[in-house]
Amino acid sequence: MLSTAWRAITRDKFDQKLLPDLTENIKKIISKYDPVDLDKNFFELPDDFEEMVAKLFRDRTIQLLVGGRRSTWGKSLESIFKLLNSVHLRWEKDEYIIVLETVSTSEDYHLLNVFQPLLKNWTEKSEGIRDDRIAQICIQWYENLMNGISSNSIAHEGHIIAVFEKLSSIHSIINEQAILDKLMDIMFNHIRQTSEKLIFNVTTKVVEFDSMAKRVFTKVIKEKIDSMVLDLDKILLKKMRVICGCTGKNLKIPNE
């Protein structure tokens, strides 16, 4: 629709005086677009028209992302993700922070799952991640992601592997140690609640991940083993009390 209108308008040389009215009309038209329509119409535009209306499409994409109904994303999420990744939309840093913050606070697991490539886009624009706001966004995303993984699956080996895979993949994007330390703490507190059997069963698979994931896994394993030893000590002490005829908490071993 928009591409056809643009070709009709520019059949002769475009009069720049028409631009304010044209922009306002386009804003009204795309305000009714859902993500799929917005995606389709933008990528059908000629290059010269794309540049003129990119800001309008960016604003509408953010509106849809913020106000979207998470339970009915479906194909809409694919379209939103395509728009957010498009170099043709000429995303600016401040706009992308809004995008990252919105995604990071979502409770929708599928939306949380697209955070990493979006973060990578931002770091490439910013040449790094030294930003307190971005640091907080990364932390709240990871906390919500861990909660999402837990609520979307019963604890099993695939669940554990997915958690370690996410940590390894984010390590390739983030190089700020303070952020990484916080993410490792979040992951440790999440994984330590898993049964010993599940943890031990994924050992050979976790060793394939990077050093950061291995460090967390080693910490979890150590805690599990220490707990097992402590439990065995308690069992042994209980049996010795019975053998020695002790009724209180203190162990009194007879001389004979």
Side-chain angles (χ1 to χ4, degrees), residues 50-196:
E50 271 185 5
E51 190 172 353
M52 285 186 181
V53 298
K55 176 69 167 66
L56 300 177
F57 276 79
R58 293 198 304 270
D59 289 347
R60 180 57 181 159
T61 300
I62 291 175
Q63 286 175 357
L64 290 167
L65 180 66
V66 172
R69 294 176 59 194
R70 309 292 186 253
S71 60
T72 57
W73 271 122
K75 195 170 179 61
S76 295
L77 182 56
E78 293 179 25
S79 297
I80 286 283
F81 186 59
K82 186 178 175 184
L83 289 162
L84 293 174
N85 269 307
S86 175
V87 295
H88 298 286
L89 271 171
R90 299 167 178 84
W91 287 96
E92 296 180 1
K93 282 175 59 177
D94 289 346
E95 294 169 330
Y96 228 69
I97 287 181
I98 295 172
V99 169
L100 290 170
E101 191 163 37
T102 302
V103 173
S104 74
T105 56
S106 174
E107 295 180 357
D108 184 270
Y109 177 68
H110 300 290
L111 188 57
L112 289 166
N113 247 338
V114 304
F115 180 84
Q116 288 155 277
L118 298 178
L119 178 64
K120 187 175 182 180
N121 290 344
W122 189 89
T123 57
E124 288 172 352
K125 288 176 181 291
S126 307
E127 298 181 353
I129 200 166
R130 293 180 180 277
D131 185 296
D132 290 342
R133 189 175 175 191
I134 285 293
Q136 187 55 44
I137 286 171
C138 290
I139 291 166
Q140 67 189 9
W141 161 74
Y142 200 65
E143 287 176 336
N144 286 331
L145 181 69
M146 291 297 100
N147 293 334
I149 289 176
S150 296
S151 62
N152 277 275
S153 62
I154 300 171
H156 54 77
E157 290 182 22
H159 166 111
I160 307 300
I161 294 298
V163 170
F164 280 99
E165 188 277 328
K166 289 296 180 188
L167 186 64
S168 285
S169 60
I170 200 68
H171 191 192
S172 65
I173 302 171
I174 299 174
N175 55 19
E176 283 294 306
Q177 194 58 48
I179 301 176
L180 295 175
D181 287 343
K182 182 62 178 177
L183 298 188
M184 285 192 288
D185 286 343
I186 294 169
M187 183 180 181
F188 173 73
N189 289 325
H190 177 80
I191 292 295
R192 70 190 302 194
Q193 302 171 40
T194 309
S195 71
E196 294 166 5

Side-chain angles (χ1 to χ4, degrees), residues 237-247 250-254:
L237 185 60
K238 184 177 180 180
K239 288 182 177 180
M240 288 181 69
R241 284 197 188 101
V242 173
I243 292 171
C244 297
C246 300
T247 57
N250 296 325
L251 178 63
K252 295 180 179 180
I253 302 176

